[in-house]
Amino acid sequence: MKYFVCVLAILSVSWLAPGSFCEAMNLEAADATGPELPFVYTNWKHFTVKDGLPNDHVFALKNDGTRVWVGTEDGLACIDKLTGKIRSWNEKDGLPWRVVSALEVNPKTGELWIGLFGGGLARFSGGRFDHWNQLNSGLVNDVVYGVAVENDNIWAATTAGASRYNTISGEWTIYTEKNAPMEEIWNYGVCYNDGKVHLGVWGSGVLEFDVATERWKDYLDPDGEMEIDLYRDDGIVHVITTGTSYVEGILWVSTYFGMSRYDGRNWRGYYAHETGLPSDFGNAVKGRNGNEAWFATDKGVGVVADFETDTWVTYTMDPNTHGGKAVVSRGKDVIKTVDMPKCIPHNYALWVDFDGNDVWVGTSKGVGWAKGSGYYERLR
Amino acid sequence: MRRHVTILCSILLLGAFSCSSVKKQMAASAEPSVEIDSETREVLERINAVSAYEVPDLDLREDADYAKTAHQFEPFRHVEPYREHFLVQMEYTGPGRAIPEPENIETVKLGFIGPIMSTVSVATGGKSHEEPLGIKMLQGARLAVEQANAKGGYLKRNIPFELVVTNDNGLWGASGNEIVNMAYKDKVWAILGTIDGANSHIAIRVALKAEVVMMNSGDTDPTFIETNIPWVVRCISDDRQQGYLLVDYLYRKLKYTRVAIMRSSNRYGRFGVREVRDGSRRLGCPVVLEMAYDLGLEDFSLQLERIREADVEAVVHWGDASEGARILKQIRAMGMEQPYFACDRCLSDEFVEIAGDSAEGVICTYPWNPTRRSSRLEEFRKAFRQRFGEEAETFASHAYDGMNMVIWAIQVAGLNRAKIRDVLAHRTRSWEGVTGDIVLSAALDDVGDVYLAKREDGRWNFYSREDLKIPSGPIRAEGQATQPLATAQYR
């Protein structure tokens, strides 16, 4: 009878606390890596409103030394990685507008640049917010989707063009269809690296701005049709682009119709039906190097872990148990499945940022911190 | 020990019982306040059963062909494309369904965005021009809200609907700010608008991020819906559908081979004629000449001289009514007698007034048949006349339908943006509107019947594809791709 009571008690505890039960059942995670396998993140920590975030709907993240900035639908937050404590700012604290859609840190000054969704552009420095909008500056529109720091210039990708603000001279430059090859002016994402600014423009593919020559180059889907992709690798898979990331001379692109990689000569398109992408609906992309990129989609996070071998790691969370799963695949062929107690906080992923070996993922339901102790590039 | 077991079992049973009671209470509170069909009830049960992390198991719309596109109109039709989009409905996979209905609200706010005040417009390169359409759209939306309030408003809580009205002033980007304000400050439950294609695109990008339904009743730009945004619904047939019908009529019915296009030099003209231009080429009769004009232009002789020199059999105009009418008058004044075809915006009193006798014989595409016999349509027109002292035209009628669809969704789903989206997006039956049956595609676009309207004896008569016996389907037999059009076998 004692044993019966014990079993019953264990069952009831497991029923009442499924999370902790699953955590206890995590046996495979430690054995996540193996020969010819990519690194798999199995150690995740979550941050939500319960931990002090102002809102769970996370639009942007930016790693900044010992802290991580979090842009949410209702305020700005800062996670102290050493203590796990979260500090937040809202309009009553001086944040010009509550919806934070983009974040970037100027490495030269340490200033945080904030893209505000309908509120313009802000700088947070020394505890003070400075604010630029379309009425008091050369910011072309207040609906800012992306921010990038290029030397002394701040780029803002807005819904009606891109603006470039020189923080030394105070000069603004506006780029629209009048002075850039923007078939449409609905800018979505912007990034800077190695002398090139890349704009992801909704309806106009990717625009590349060479800082040295100040010349533009456009990347469009060669078939020119919205309803098809005629050939997968003939160019960008679709012109409705949402994000760009340029690293080691490789351009990674996310769209709402699939993803792309460009090495300066060859394009490679990625679709969910033949890769480890959880979905073709890409909210954002972050390239770690020429071989690895993380795609935040509406059904999880897909990682090209090794471009050459088409090896993927797909991170999802079980909506019922809240446990996590990483699926390692070559193309669509599954090599290994790794269950883990925690993974991304929600499958609707909106942002990714790297932090040394660690990775931060912003979702519709909080922030996930993937700790990469022992991380290695490509395969091992 | 037995006592302990008994207590433990009792606790477990009580727990299970209380859980089922809570579920029953939740189900009861989720009971819609309007009658719904069995399929919608199934959708409702599934969306009400999920947590913030789950995605409801809902049937997704699937289309064999995007936008009912016939094979001959498919781009690169001789090659199998690597990927075809818009054939399967997009899901919303976010946590929005778990957001509880707010308690302390006095009204249910519904957003409206449209061109209702005159401004300078970047999109048109000058003074804005769509206010007459936008004001009609606002009237249609307002009437739907007022009628819903007369019937008790939001029935679940007996509070009125409130229309939050904003101006889409034509400046690119301004509509984005307005949608942000409506979504975050006014906290509207859904938005109806807009007309201008550029503003519509900006608005839906914001709607996607803010997660609020955007119902469009006035923008016929085909690319509006080609964005994979699961928050967008359109209740008016677009220029793609109208273009397909017109092209079939020009080349397959009338057997023309030389057609010129005259269009406005703005987004409406540029995107509106795409299917006409592409369809002409795909049927083997590429458009001979395409001329664009700036809005507000009075003298079109530069463009029309070139069209005359091109010796075309017909002219297709895509632009606003006033320009369309002036162009027609100048064509006739120049002695050109070619048949004149135009887009739906030219089917208006303004067009007829300016064009005068020249309007006779003009054929316009149209997204619906306003002469069809329908008691629902007659009642709407009567109510509109009583309320505004004016006649309800196409923009008012479609806005009325669109707003009624939104109101229906709110009555069914309750005050939750994601669920409002769900019941609209997963509605399996067509919406019986005053503009006809609204049938949504996998891309949530209205792919109902479109018409050609001919000005005959001083009135517009509307004809369906069947009425005019316009051929449809593949134009050439397999292996006869180079066969001349005139000898093609129809089937």
Side-chain angles (χ1 to χ4, degrees):
Chain A
M1 187 55 74
K2 278 181 189 171
Y3 296 117
F4 179 64
V5 172
C6 287
V7 168
L8 209 54
I10 289 168
L11 282 174
S12 46
V13 166
S14 69
W15 177 57
L16 292 169
S20 53
F21 179 68
C22 290
E23 215 160 322
M25 291 292 284
N26 172 37
L27 303 174
E28 245 191 308
D31 187 33
T33 58
E36 296 301 306
L37 287 176
F39 181 83
V40 176
Y41 287 86
T42 57
N43 184 7
W44 290 76
K45 182 174 171 56
H46 293 178
F47 297 93
T48 66
V49 288
K50 289 177 186 167
D51 305 293
L53 282 184
N55 189 282
D56 277 342
H57 202 166
V58 177
F59 287 142
L61 293 165
K62 182 60 193 174
N63 167 53
D64 182 20
T66 59
R67 57 194 177 181
V68 167
W69 296 99
V70 185
T72 82
E73 196 171 28
D74 195 16
L76 171 72
C78 185
I79 301 172
D80 186 319
K81 289 188 277 189
L82 302 177
T83 64
K85 287 185 179 170
I86 297 175
R87 192 177 165 196
S88 66
W89 294 262
N90 215 315
E91 284 156 300
K92 65 181 183 335
D93 308 305
L95 184 69
W97 171 239
R98 75 186 82 155
V99 187
V100 177
S101 45
L103 294 167
E104 192 57 71
V105 172
N106 186 339
K108 192 172 162 186
T109 62
E111 296 165 341
L112 177 70
W113 287 87
I114 305 165
L116 299 165
F117 195 64
L121 181 69
R123 175 175 59 194
F124 188 47
S125 178
R128 191 184 78 182
F129 288 97
D130 296 309
H131 186 208
W132 292 266
N133 59 48
Q134 63 189 70
L135 296 180
N136 72 3
S137 71
L139 186 69
V140 65
N141 191 269
D142 285 345
V143 182
V144 178
Y145 283 89
V147 173
V149 177
E150 167 256 310
N151 302 311
D152 291 325
N153 300 301
I154 309 301
W155 285 74
T158 86
T159 203
S163 287
R164 185 192 195 196
Y165 173 57
N166 187 301
T167 55
I168 306 298
S169 67
E171 182 187 4
W172 287 85
T173 310
I174 291 175
Y175 297 102
T176 63
E177 83 283 6
K178 296 187 191 309
N179 58 351
M182 287 182 196
E183 203 163 293
E184 309 291 2
I185 57 170
W186 313 311
N187 287 241
Y188 221 77
V190 59
C191 71
Y192 171 73
N193 197 14
D194 286 347
K196 293 184 194 306
V197 173
H198 287 92
L199 294 169
V201 186
W202 172 293
S204 200
V206 174
L207 298 184
E208 182 180 281
F209 180 80
D210 188 295
V211 173
T213 62
E214 300 211 337
R215 286 189 179 163
W216 290 94
K217 188 175 179 182
D218 60 343
Y219 299 103
L220 299 164
D221 181 6
D223 62 51
E225 300 291 341
M226 300 289 276
E227 67 266 42
I228 60 163
D229 186 18
L230 191 61
Y231 300 110
R232 187 189 67 187
D233 299 333
D234 62 347
I236 198 167
V237 292
H238 205 279
V239 292
I240 305 281
T241 51
T242 56
T244 58
S245 185
Y246 185 66
V247 56
E248 294 182 352
I250 301 297
L251 176 64
W252 299 94
V253 182
S254 60
T255 83
Y256 284 150
F257 298 81
M259 320 301 164
S260 294
R261 178 188 186 273
Y262 182 56
D263 64 8
R265 188 176 179 86
N266 300 299
W267 284 91
R268 170 72 159 91
Y270 293 113
Y271 287 113
H273 74 274
E274 57 186 2
T275 68
L277 273 177
S279 162
D280 289 334
F281 193 87
N283 285 312
V285 59
K286 191 81 176 177
R288 190 174 221 159
N289 51 51
N291 280 296
E292 181 180 335
W294 289 54
F295 296 99
T297 82
D298 65 337
K299 292 179 181 174
V301 173
V303 180
V304 193
D306 183 49
F307 163 71
E308 280 188 19
T309 58
D310 198 23
T311 304
W312 290 75
V313 184
T314 312
Y315 295 95
T316 54
M317 75 103 71
D318 186 313
N320 297 310
T321 66
H322 294 196
K325 186 164 75 172
V327 176
V328 182
S329 62
R330 293 253 151 75
K332 203 65 182 171
D333 299 330
V334 175
I335 301 169
K336 191 177 178 76
T337 300
V338 182
D339 291 314
M340 57 189 93
K342 269 184 184 176
C343 187
I344 53 176
H346 195 281
N347 286 329
Y348 200 98
L350 288 150
W351 198 257
V352 174
D353 197 28
F354 300 119
D355 176 11
N357 287 342
D358 296 356
V359 182
W360 293 78
V361 178
T363 77
S364 275
K365 209 67 184 164
V367 172
W369 179 11
K371 297 182 182 179
S373 176
Y375 166 80
Y376 55 88
E377 288 184 12
R378 305 191 66 179
L379 309 178
R380 186 178 290 175
Chain B
M1 187 54 69
R2 272 184 198 159
R3 197 170 53 192
H4 289 141
V5 174
T6 311
I7 290 168
L8 196 56
C9 288
S10 304
I11 290 168
L12 288 171
L13 280 171
L14 276 171
F17 178 72
S18 66
C19 279
S20 72
S21 300
V22 169
K23 279 185 180 174
K24 275 180 188 168
Q25 282 171 10
M26 283 172 66
S29 67
E31 186 65 24
S33 44
V34 292
E35 279 189 28
I36 54 172
D37 56 75
S38 56
E39 296 92 340
T40 302
R41 182 171 295 280
E42 181 72 23
V43 168
L44 203 54
E45 284 173 3
R46 292 185 185 189
I47 62 178
N48 283 334
V50 296
S51 70
Y53 300 91
E54 295 168 296
V55 179
D57 180 21
L58 301 173
D59 293 334
L60 301 178
R61 295 170 194 275
E62 289 189 37
D63 293 339
D65 301 297
Y66 169 57
K68 298 198 300 189
T69 303
H71 179 63
Q72 73 267 19
F73 289 131
E74 289 176 356
F76 307 102
R77 67 180 184 277
H78 303 296
V79 181
E80 185 74 23
Y82 191 80
R83 189 86 174 137
E84 290 183 76
H85 305 302
F86 316 123
L87 299 182
V88 180
Q89 182 179 354
M90 293 295 293
E91 291 177 277
Y92 165 62
T93 58
R97 297 178 185 90
I99 299 171
E101 187 163 323
E103 290 185 0
N104 300 316
I105 54 167
E106 294 174 354
T107 62
V108 174
K109 291 183 177 177
L110 302 171
F112 172 90
I113 182 162
I116 52 174
M117 285 186 278
S118 178
T119 57
V120 174
S121 166
V122 172
T124 59
K127 187 178 177 297
S128 59
H129 60 107
E130 289 172 335
E131 293 78 40
L133 318 180
I135 289 167
K136 285 291 183 185
M137 194 166 86
L138 175 59
Q139 289 172 330
R142 196 182 287 287
L143 182 62
V145 171
E146 288 174 356
Q147 288 181 343
N149 283 337
K151 292 176 187 168
Y154 177 49
L155 297 171
K156 198 182 282 183
R157 300 189 23 193
N158 291 317
I159 54 176
F161 291 102
E162 178 187 351
L163 200 59
V164 177
V165 179
T166 58
N167 187 44
D168 155 13
N169 69 2
L171 286 168
W172 284 26
S175 54
N177 295 336
E178 298 292 1
I179 301 288
V180 167
N181 286 338
M182 282 197 278
Y184 291 107
K185 288 181 178 172
D186 298 313
K187 294 182 168 41
V188 300
W189 295 100
I191 299 167
L192 184 134
T194 69
I195 293 176
D196 173 71
N199 284 317
S200 298
H201 269 284
I202 288 169
I204 60 176
R205 281 170 15 121
V206 176
L208 167 66
K209 211 164 180 79
E211 299 191 348
V212 59
V213 166
M214 189 84 202
M215 170 66 75
N216 188 285
S217 65
D219 177 12
T220 52
D221 174 356
T223 67
F224 168 79
I225 211 78
E226 296 171 345
T227 48
N228 259 355
I229 297 178
W231 292 88
V232 173
V233 182
R234 178 158 63 185
C235 66
I236 183 169
S237 295
D238 66 4
D239 290 339
R240 177 184 289 276
Q241 299 299 325
Q242 295 175 59
Y244 288 160
L245 181 63
L246 180 59
V247 168
D248 271 340
Y249 186 62
L250 290 172
Y251 302 111
R252 303 179 72 179
K253 176 71 180 178
L254 301 180
K255 307 286 177 65
Y256 292 152
T257 56
R258 297 180 61 79
V259 172
I261 289 176
M262 181 78 168
R263 67 163 176 86
S264 57
S265 183
N266 62 359
R267 190 181 175 85
Y268 177 68
R270 185 161 53 105
F271 280 87
V273 297
R274 266 182 71 164
E275 298 312 322
V276 177
R277 186 179 57 231
D278 292 349
S280 300
R281 189 182 69 249
R282 287 165 190 160
L283 289 191
C285 306
V287 167
V288 175
L289 193 65
E290 179 178 331
M291 300 299 295
Y293 60 85
D294 290 334
L295 259 70
L297 194 68
E298 293 290 335
D299 180 9
F300 302 94
S301 55
L302 178 72
Q303 291 89 343
L304 295 180
E305 282 293 345
R306 293 186 179 180
I307 289 176
R308 178 160 63 182
E309 288 169 12
D311 189 27
V312 296
E313 296 166 290
V315 177
V316 174
H317 169 258
W318 221 272
D320 284 353
S322 57
E323 280 86 357
R326 290 203 300 275
I327 289 166
L328 174 60
K329 282 189 80 171
Q330 287 187 30
I331 282 178
R332 298 294 179 247
M334 290 167 69
M336 296 165 67
E337 294 178 352
Q338 288 93 339
Y340 193 72
F341 299 86
C343 58
D344 58 315
R345 284 194 184 181
C346 289
L347 198 155
S348 71
D349 293 341
E350 185 185 18
F351 179 88
V352 173
E353 198 175 302
I354 298 172
D357 292 342
S358 301
E360 190 68 14
V362 168
I363 293 178
C364 294
T365 63
Y366 216 58
W368 64 300
N369 181 1
T371 59
R372 72 193 181 89
R373 303 181 78 172
S374 158
S375 58
R376 195 186 300 267
L377 177 58
E378 288 312 310
E379 284 170 21
F380 159 67
R381 282 179 169 151
K382 186 179 170 190
F384 193 93
R385 219 174 286 125
Q386 283 177 347
R387 173 65 178 83
F388 301 107
E390 300 172 17
E391 293 300 319
E393 44 66 89
T394 184
F395 285 90
S397 305
H398 282 95
Y400 180 77
D401 277 346
M403 189 54 86
N404 272 321
M405 289 172 79
V406 166
I407 290 169
W408 170 83
I410 292 172
Q411 301 283 25
V412 171
L415 298 181
N416 176 292
R417 288 174 176 173
K419 292 179 183 175
I420 293 166
R421 187 215 79 92
D422 286 338
V423 297
L424 275 174
H426 294 277
R427 187 186 162 95
T428 55
R429 302 182 186 186
S430 60
W431 178 267
E432 294 175 10
V434 298
T435 58
D437 288 351
I438 296 169
V439 183
L440 297 180
S441 68
L444 304 186
D445 200 9
D446 179 2
V447 286
D449 293 336
V450 294
Y451 296 82
L452 291 177
K454 187 171 187 182
R455 189 77 182 170
E456 295 170 311
D457 299 326
R459 56 170 292 176
W460 293 103
N461 293 317
F462 292 80
Y463 299 99
S464 68
R465 181 181 285 270
E466 290 71 29
D467 293 336
L468 294 171
K469 296 184 172 53
I470 301 173
S472 61
I475 196 165
R476 299 181 182 96
E478 290 298 322
Q480 292 180 295
T482 55
Q483 185 180 5
L485 185 69
T487 60
Q489 297 296 307
Y490 302 130
R491 61 179 183 181

